[in-house]
Amino acid sequence: MASLVAPCLPHLDFLIVNDMEIGAIAGVETIGAEATDRQACERAARITLERGAMKMVAVHCPAFAIAVTRDGETTTLPPVAIPQTEVLGANGAGDAFAAGMLYGIHEGWSMEQCLRLAHATAAASLRSISTTGAIVPWQECLALARGWGERAL
């Protein structure tokens, strides 16, 4: 994967990937036997940021999300505590996360607000087996997330 992505890094403004992808891109082991290593993901995001022209690298996984900016800002947020009874499928959740991040970036929001919407959009998407069947407007995604609360980091 690194050989495919590396030539693209100088041409990207933002990179939004999952824990496995950032590890492969940076050459850092990010997923241990028990769980994803948050510090390793942050280190991999920083390495990747230095290899490209990106303003921001975001990493997401079921346990957390991290955004690292070229300005040195690092924001980490826990995911939404969606009840297991609401989860029908994870197909498209990563794309929904990216869509939420990009919307927030487009609107000029803080990294915390962007991550919050990204988690909310991903959580909302889990309510359908299809990739887009449960996506609702961003305000509704945030309302759902507020109702469910956050998991602990």
Side-chain angles (χ1 to χ4, degrees), residues 18 26 30 81 83 95 103 106 108 121 133 153:
N18 67 34
T30 54
D95 293 334
Y103 182 81
H106 177 266
T121 308
L153 271 178

Side-chain angles (χ1 to χ4, degrees), residues 26-101:
V28 173
E29 187 65 39
T30 54
I31 303 173
E34 299 292 319
T36 297
D37 183 330
R38 191 167 67 224
Q39 286 76 28
C41 285
E42 182 177 337
R43 189 170 59 255
R46 290 186 188 289
I47 290 168
T48 303
L49 190 66
E50 292 306 315
R51 290 181 182 167
M54 292 83 60
K55 297 173 187 171
M56 183 273 305
V57 173
V59 180
H60 63 88
C61 68
F64 58 85
I66 297 174
V68 178
T69 69
R70 185 154 305 278
D71 298 337
E73 179 185 357
T74 301
T75 306
T76 305
L77 283 181
V80 173
I82 182 172
Q84 195 59 42
T85 56
E86 295 283 336
V87 177
L88 294 181
N91 195 15
D95 293 334
F97 181 95
M101 272 305 283

Side-chain angles (χ1 to χ4, degrees), residues 14 19 26 29 31 56 64 66 98 115 118 127 144 146 150 152:
F14 307 101
D19 51 345
E29 187 65 39
I31 303 173
M56 183 273 305
F64 58 85
I66 297 174
L115 285 175
R127 300 172 306 138
L144 284 168
R146 276 191 300 275
E150 294 179 337

Side-chain angles (χ1 to χ4, degrees), residues 9 18 89-90 133 136:
L9 296 179
N18 67 34
V136 293

